[in-house]
Amino acid sequence: MSQAFPQQEPDNCLTLRRLTHLIYGLFALGLISAGFFGVATIAAIVLAYLKRSEAAGTLYAPHFDWVLKTFWWGLLWFALSALGTFIFIGWITGLIALVWVVYRIAKGWLALFAGNTPNADF
């Protein structure tokens, strides 16, 4: 009687788990550096879009969606905040948007470490 064992991927292979960690890390690097490494954030988003189809139907697909939604909603709120600086409310909304984006990245990355999908519940 033979048993089928799942094949182990080699250590040098970029698995979806490692790729998802890389995406979160690049996004966080771009955010922490206050835009100095903004290319890292763009690279994270491009990578998420390119590998999204490979992650479909896996545990990592919601993480890709989570990062992409965080980026686009964050970009929208940062742009609106930049416009709002003319009436002096943009600084407050910009700070709120920054806290929200950091919270979303931290929550998603911690869920990945735990092997869970990120959820929008508070």
Side-chain angles (χ1 to χ4, degrees), residues 12-51:
N12 61 356
C13 180
L14 187 62
T15 62
L16 281 176
R17 181 175 175 82
R18 288 181 185 172
L19 181 68
T20 310
H21 279 293
L22 178 66
I23 289 171
Y24 277 117
L26 287 171
F27 199 127
L29 176 67
L31 203 61
I32 289 171
S33 67
F36 185 71
F37 293 114
V39 175
T41 302
I42 301 302
I45 298 308
V46 168
L47 227 104
Y49 272 118
L50 289 176
K51 297 295 185 175

Side-chain angles (χ1 to χ4, degrees), residues 1-97:
M1 179 183 282
S2 66
Q3 293 181 346
F5 292 101
Q7 292 182 346
Q8 294 289 334
E9 295 188 33
D11 287 336
N12 61 356
C13 180
L14 187 62
T15 62
L16 281 176
R17 181 175 175 82
R18 288 181 185 172
L19 181 68
T20 310
H21 279 293
L22 178 66
I23 289 171
Y24 277 117
L26 287 171
F27 199 127
L29 176 67
L31 203 61
I32 289 171
S33 67
F36 185 71
F37 293 114
V39 175
T41 302
I42 301 302
I45 298 308
V46 168
L47 227 104
Y49 272 118
L50 289 176
K51 297 295 185 175
R52 193 177 190 185
S53 62
E54 291 179 25
T58 66
L59 168 75
Y60 306 106
H63 287 280
F64 283 60
D65 294 337
W66 183 265
V67 169
L68 293 171
K69 286 178 185 175
T70 301
F71 173 77
W72 288 114
W73 279 105
L75 185 65
L76 171 71
W77 286 110
F78 284 131
L80 291 175
S81 297
L83 290 174
T85 57
F86 295 116
I87 57 172
F88 302 110
I89 196 167
W91 299 107
I92 296 168
T93 57
L95 182 63
I96 292 169

Side-chain angles (χ1 to χ4, degrees), residues 99-112:
V99 168
W100 179 80
V101 169
V102 169
Y103 166 76
R104 295 257 310 181
I105 293 302
K107 185 174 182 174
W109 210 350
L110 289 173
L112 179 63

